[in-house]
Amino acid sequence: MFSVVLNSFVHRVPDKAQVIALAAESGCQLKRIRRSRNWMLVGEEAQLHKLREQLSDAPLLWMVTAIDKVLPKPTVCLQQLLQQTPSMTVAQLVSESGCSLAEARIAIDEFEGL
C-alpha cells in the first residue's frame, strides 16, 4: 500500500466529486486527514498507476507529480540501454532511464572502457 499526501486538495481541484469518483473507479481510497485541508490517497501500485493515467487534465497534473514521487522508480540497466544505442548522449540516458546525471556519466565511462 502506498500513501500519497495531497496538500490543499479541495482548493487545488476544480471538481472534488469527479476526482473522488476516479479514485474509487481505480480502486484507490481518497480521504481527508482529520480536520485539515489535506487529503490522502491510498492504494496499491497498480491502482495508483491506473489512476495516474486517468488524471490527464491540466489542473490535475500536480496530483500526477505527487503520485510519481511515491511510486518506486522502475529499474533500468544502463549498460543494456547503452548496448542497444551506443551513440546515446548523457542527457538521453538520464531522460530514458530516470537515473542521475552522475550515474549516467559513470555508466557511459564504463561502457566506453575509460
Side-chain angles (χ1 to χ4, degrees):
M1 285 297 240
F2 292 96
S3 299
V4 182
V5 176
L6 303 173
N7 296 326
S8 302
F9 172 73
V10 175
H11 300 291
R12 297 171 78 179
V13 173
D15 187 10
K16 177 181 84 168
Q18 178 189 14
V19 177
I20 291 173
L22 283 174
E25 221 175 83
S26 63
C28 298
Q29 293 178 355
L30 187 61
K31 46 190 167 180
R32 190 173 178 182
I33 301 173
R34 294 187 247 16
R35 294 176 54 186
S36 71
R37 63 181 179 197
N38 302 331
W39 288 59
M40 182 168 294
L41 178 66
V42 179
E44 297 291 333
E45 184 176 355
Q47 295 169 337
L48 289 173
H49 277 293
K50 183 178 176 185
L51 178 63
R52 185 184 171 283
E53 291 171 3
Q54 294 175 350
L55 298 173
S56 60
D57 296 339
L60 302 176
L61 290 180
W62 68 274
M63 287 181 64
V64 172
T65 305
I67 292 171
D68 285 342
K69 288 180 182 177
V70 172
L71 291 175
K73 302 285 185 219
T75 55
V76 177
C77 180
L78 300 178
Q79 296 299 323
Q80 194 174 41
L81 274 176
L82 288 169
Q83 287 175 353
Q84 292 171 355
T85 315
S87 62
M88 186 178 285
T89 65
V90 173
Q92 289 172 335
L93 188 59
V94 168
S95 68
E96 286 188 27
S97 68
C99 68
S100 69
L101 190 62
E103 291 171 337
R105 287 181 177 159
I106 291 170
I108 288 176
D109 287 345
E110 288 175 359
F111 179 71
E112 292 176 348
L114 298 176

